[in-house]
Amino acid sequence: MAASRIGPNMTQIAKAVGVSSATVSNALSGKGRVSADLVEKIRATAAELGYVPSNAGRALRTGRSNVLGLVLPDISNPLFPQIAQAMEVAASNAGYGVLIADSRGDVTTQTQAIARLIERGVDGLVVIPRRGTRIGSVSCPVAMVDTPSTPGNTVSADHWEGGAEITRHLQDLGHRNFLFVGHDQASNVQNDRIGGMKAALGSDTRHQTIWIETLLNAQPDRTSLGLMDHVKSGVTAIAAVSDLHALRVLTELQTAGIKVPQQVSVTGFDDLVFAPVVTPSLTTVHMNMTQIAQIAIAALITEIETPRTIDPNIEHKNGAAVSHTVKADTSKVSMELMVRASSGPAVSPATPSPNGEIL
Amino acid sequence: MAASRIGPNMTQIAKAVGVSSATVSNALSGKGRVSADLVEKIRATAAELGYVPSNAGRALRTGRSNVLGLVLPDISNPLFPQIAQAMEVAASNAGYGVLIADSRGDVTTQTQAIARLIERGVDGLVVIPRRGTRIGSVSCPVAMVDTPSTPGNTVSADHWEGGAEITRHLQDLGHRNFLFVGHDQASNVQNDRIGGMKAALGSDTRHQTIWIETLLNAQPDRTSLGLMDHVKSGVTAIAAVSDLHALRVLTELQTAGIKVPQQVSVTGFDDLVFAPVVTPSLTTVHMNMTQIAQIAIAALITEIETPRTIDPNIEHKNGAAVSHTVKADTSKVSMELMVRASSGPAVSPATPSPNGEIL
DNA sequence: CGCACTTGGTTAATCGTTTAATCACGTCAT
DNA sequence: ATGACGTGATTAAACGATTAACCAAGTGCG
């Protein structure tokens, strides 16, 4: 608390104004009964002296740290910047700080990281789960941000509907033969996205799905996804569950001489930073992280700041409360389709266009 | 401090063992004089009762929060996940937590974010500066992680040498006509990288440099970087200051029908998550963030934990100490060249190869 | 006029940890 | 034997903010 060692405390303000420190506290917090002009005078001298409240003192007395923990299991997630920023903004607007914890995807490290956050006295946890994440018994409220189909999910983008929008868009362009590209078959998010894609398909369409991880497990040293085979068999639209995989698809097709979108349309998900600047710019689905963060943080803080006498929802084990995830009014935030240059009208698979005819 | 409300405190341990709370404190911290067997007994009962120390109580008494602030001005930085993870690991190994602050690239928001961190009582700050970042007067030590040529830099990768490695690699492959692609001419990091690239060039080479931001300012709605003109004029190697821009270059060339690396080699910087999975996989330069983070955090913590009576390096202004950046023993961490598929032997520019001849 | 009530403020205890000051008690040297 | 000293533990005072309990004085009303 370097700042506090230097700056003045309430007692000094009290002395300067000529009142008790309790009155200063009441005036600044607006809680007790203090006359208006005295409040004014206290505020003024506090500002003049450059008073900054000591978080430690307040935390000790109130039992709350005004800090939330952000748990990111999969650090390599390219969405992390967006998530972290949105959470930090939402939290700091509500007067909370954000302590980060991540653990190279490892589950035990993960548990330790959460324990560290708890020991640091966070008032709540925002958890972005990935495969295998299990939140054990923690003694503070938890907001889970994943996908609506995840049990205990607090809020998230509507991945299912986002997937549906993608295939509707592609069908409107005339596409009838789809290839869906996923990475990890165990991921709830990816399953929701592909589920939505499939659900919006008309009856006159064909589709296949490939999972990159499965392919890699079978042949660990492969670099190609074997997309050409699918293109030759008539696929005209390839929809990936992430921009990262869409990029992989795009570059593989381009290297093989396939024109995008003239011969094959490619779409992604997440609107990552590179999506608008690659050639052709990537049609994708954007998630409103700001809104998701606001909802998650709001739900969490409501739970934190609601005075609890005895909460029947919390089971006690060894005297400590076990994990309880909070729920929000809105749990689905709609995603926004970003139509760019990588998706275009379907060509008839029967009459493949000569190379570069259109461009 | 949800955890502390539930769990036992030192007084309860003291009561259980039959000693004073001061003895418990001494036993657990190993500081005072306590007999060995008593230490053992206290440790045991503390563990048995599930004691976890209250950070608030400790912070209040010691004046230190054991929390560091991580300041990321440019949140869209795709390197952020790596940075955040490395910092968190290094900090938590040293017993510190990491509080994040970012500010949509805005300088005033940035200042507020730093102020919030200070008010939360962080013991130190790690700052990753970007254009325009100025650290005003802060009352705690600051570690600056940018590039060696930045004044006040604490530690960073050796961007200059990384750039040199790139051009040496390309020259070894026979390239003699280079195009360097930067984004922001005001960036120290980018200037160092391009500076290193140029410095390693032999006298028999030609090179030009383009800046994306400058191009965009001139024609805000342009999508192409006009690379074809350069290729036609004989450029065989295009080196970008970031994988993001290398990706832009790569896809633009591919769309135009240029084969990479058969006709033109492309290199990036940073080894971002997509670098290994695009086709062709991207030759780039990897920075050892883990090591950088360790050095930065170590320097910061040394400064924090060194007892200071009067520090002559700190000037005082209005009673508050002004910013003082710490310095580390090692300030340059070497970068590692990652040779992948996007760079290959140069073809003679005089005899352009027919499309697709090689592949 | 006196009682209840409101307003505006103070006192003092409290959160949990650390640490300087102190103390009790053997031991050792003189 | 006694003063000096080392050892092992205790006491009590902080750190800074919050808040329940209390009090003084003014106001309204029967």
Side-chain angles (χ1 to χ4, degrees):
Chain A
M1 288 274 156
S4 312
R5 283 202 327 256
I6 307 275
N9 56 21
M10 285 195 163
T11 314
Q12 300 187 25
I13 296 179
K15 220 179 297 175
V17 181
V19 294
S20 76
S21 70
T23 303
V24 174
S25 175
N26 285 329
L28 293 178
S29 69
K31 283 193 173 173
R33 293 175 301 196
V34 188
S35 65
D37 53 345
L38 195 46
V39 168
E40 186 55 33
K41 198 170 5 169
I42 289 173
R43 285 242 161 83
T45 44
E48 186 188 355
L49 293 175
Y51 169 72
V52 358
S54 155
N55 254 271
R58 175 178 298 159
L60 179 56
R61 176 64 224 242
T62 62
R64 290 218 305 262
S65 61
N66 275 10
V67 171
L68 304 178
L70 177 59
V71 181
L72 275 296
D74 192 0
I75 187 66
S76 64
N77 187 338
L79 263 176
F80 183 38
Q82 283 186 43
I83 297 174
Q85 184 197 33
M87 292 294 170
E88 201 270 338
V89 171
S92 83
N93 283 342
Y96 283 74
V98 177
L99 215 42
I100 60 172
D102 49 49
S103 51
R104 303 128 277 191
D106 182 27
V107 181
T108 63
T109 319
Q110 176 73 25
T111 312
Q112 294 166 2
I114 293 180
R116 278 200 306 270
L117 288 181
I118 302 285
E119 288 182 19
R120 284 198 182 284
V122 296
D123 295 334
L125 246 34
V126 177
V127 177
I128 322 283
R130 284 292 176 273
R131 43 182 171 189
T133 300
R134 284 292 167 267
I135 307 301
S137 66
V138 297
S139 51
C140 67
V142 175
M144 194 95 123
V145 181
D146 193 17
T147 188
S149 73
T150 300
N153 182 70
T154 302
V155 61
S156 71
D158 191 347
H159 299 278
W160 183 282
E161 184 55 28
E165 282 196 45
I166 280 283
T167 44
R168 277 198 289 267
H169 164 67
L170 291 169
Q171 285 179 100
D172 288 349
L173 288 168
H175 295 276
R176 292 295 180 271
N177 198 335
F178 293 83
L179 177 64
F180 300 135
V181 178
H183 178 88
D184 176 6
Q185 209 157 354
S187 156
N188 284 329
V189 170
Q190 294 181 38
N191 275 310
D192 274 15
R193 289 178 174 182
I194 289 187
M197 289 178 188
K198 289 179 181 169
L201 288 177
S203 56
D204 59 337
T205 60
R206 293 170 50 196
H207 69 273
Q208 303 166 65
T209 306
I210 61 175
W211 296 94
I212 295 180
E213 201 176 52
T214 309
L215 260 45
L216 253 45
N217 284 344
Q219 288 177 259
D221 53 347
R222 81 182 295 158
T223 64
S224 146
L225 300 177
L227 298 174
M228 284 309 292
D229 296 341
H230 292 95
V231 172
K232 281 177 188 150
S233 77
V235 163
T236 65
I238 304 183
V241 295
S242 158
D243 287 350
L244 208 51
H245 309 122
L247 183 60
R248 187 166 189 164
V249 168
L250 176 66
T251 54
E252 183 171 328
L253 291 177
Q254 286 189 324
T255 301
I258 302 287
K259 297 284 178 185
V260 178
Q262 290 82 355
Q263 293 173 266
V264 175
S265 287
V266 175
T267 64
F269 241 105
D270 289 341
D271 199 15
L272 296 184
V273 58
F274 55 77
V277 300
V278 294
T279 306
S281 58
L282 206 54
T283 292
T284 187
V285 179
H286 181 87
M287 62 198 286
N288 191 341
M289 248 306 161
T290 305
Q291 196 183 347
I292 292 172
Q294 279 170 355
I295 295 173
I297 299 282
L300 201 50
I301 291 178
T302 303
E303 174 73 17
I304 290 169
E305 296 183 349
T306 303
R308 306 218 150 277
T309 50
I310 299 161
D311 191 334
N313 294 327
I314 306 181
E315 298 170 10
H316 288 267
K317 190 169 70 177
N318 298 337
V322 304
S323 157
H324 55 299
T325 58
V326 301
K327 58 190 203 327
D329 300 334
T330 322
S331 74
K332 286 184 189 179
V333 173
S334 60
M335 301 187 89
E336 185 188 359
L337 182 66
M338 310 291 288
V339 177
R340 296 208 181 92
S342 69
S343 58
V347 293
S348 162
T351 58
S353 74
N355 250 359
E357 182 197 60
I358 299 176
L359 185 68
Chain B
M1 288 274 156
S4 313
R5 283 202 326 255
I6 309 276
N9 55 22
M10 286 195 163
T11 315
Q12 299 187 28
I13 296 179
K15 219 179 296 174
V17 181
V19 295
S20 75
S21 70
T23 303
V24 174
S25 174
N26 285 330
L28 294 179
S29 69
K31 282 194 173 175
R33 294 175 302 197
V34 188
S35 65
D37 53 344
L38 195 48
V39 168
E40 186 54 35
K41 200 174 357 171
I42 289 173
R43 285 243 162 81
T45 43
E48 187 188 353
L49 293 175
Y51 169 72
V52 0
S54 155
N55 252 272
R58 175 177 298 163
L60 180 57
R61 175 64 224 232
T62 63
R64 288 219 306 262
S65 60
N66 275 10
V67 171
L68 304 178
L70 177 60
V71 181
L72 275 296
D74 192 358
I75 187 65
S76 63
N77 188 341
L79 220 46
F80 183 36
Q82 283 186 43
I83 298 174
Q85 184 198 32
M87 291 294 168
E88 201 270 340
V89 171
S92 84
N93 283 342
Y96 283 74
V98 177
L99 213 44
I100 60 172
D102 50 49
S103 52
R104 303 130 277 191
D106 182 26
V107 181
T108 63
T109 318
Q110 174 73 25
T111 311
Q112 294 167 2
I114 293 180
R116 278 200 306 270
L117 288 181
I118 301 285
E119 287 181 19
R120 286 201 181 282
V122 297
D123 294 335
L125 246 35
V126 177
V127 177
I128 322 283
R130 285 290 175 273
R131 44 182 170 188
T133 300
R134 283 291 168 270
I135 308 300
S137 66
V138 298
S139 52
C140 66
V142 175
M144 194 95 124
V145 181
D146 192 17
T147 187
S149 73
T150 301
N153 181 72
T154 302
V155 62
S156 71
D158 191 346
H159 299 278
W160 182 281
E161 185 55 29
E165 282 197 45
I166 280 283
T167 44
R168 279 198 288 266
H169 164 67
L170 291 168
Q171 285 179 100
D172 288 349
L173 288 168
H175 294 276
R176 293 294 180 272
N177 198 335
F178 293 83
L179 177 65
F180 301 134
V181 179
H183 180 87
D184 175 6
Q185 208 157 357
S187 156
N188 285 328
V189 170
Q190 295 181 37
N191 275 310
D192 275 13
R193 290 178 175 181
I194 290 188
M197 290 178 187
K198 289 179 181 171
L201 288 177
S203 56
D204 59 337
T205 60
R206 292 169 50 195
H207 70 271
Q208 303 165 65
T209 306
I210 61 174
W211 296 94
I212 295 180
E213 203 176 50
T214 308
L215 260 46
L216 253 44
N217 283 344
Q219 287 177 260
D221 54 346
R222 80 184 295 159
T223 64
S224 145
L225 299 178
L227 299 175
M228 285 309 293
D229 296 341
H230 292 96
V231 172
K232 281 176 189 152
S233 77
V235 164
T236 64
I238 304 183
V241 295
S242 159
D243 287 352
L244 208 51
H245 308 121
L247 183 61
R248 188 166 188 167
V249 168
L250 176 66
T251 55
E252 183 171 327
L253 292 176
Q254 286 188 324
T255 301
I258 302 288
K259 297 285 179 186
V260 176
Q262 290 82 355
Q263 293 172 265
V264 175
S265 288
V266 175
T267 64
F269 241 104
D270 289 341
D271 199 16
L272 297 184
V273 60
F274 55 79
V277 299
V278 294
T279 305
S281 58
L282 205 54
T283 293
T284 186
V285 179
H286 181 86
M287 61 198 287
N288 191 340
M289 249 307 161
T290 305
Q291 195 184 347
I292 292 172
Q294 279 170 355
I295 295 174
I297 299 281
L300 201 51
I301 291 178
T302 303
E303 174 73 17
I304 291 169
E305 295 182 350
T306 302
R308 306 217 149 277
T309 50
I310 299 161
D311 191 334
N313 295 327
I314 307 180
E315 298 172 11
H316 288 267
K317 190 170 69 177
N318 299 336
V322 304
S323 157
H324 54 301
T325 58
V326 301
K327 58 191 203 328
D329 299 336
T330 321
S331 73
K332 285 185 190 181
V333 173
S334 60
M335 300 188 91
E336 185 188 1
L337 182 67
M338 310 290 289
V339 177
R340 297 208 181 93
S342 69
S343 57
V347 294
S348 163
T351 58
S353 74
N355 252 358
E357 182 196 59
I358 299 175
L359 186 70

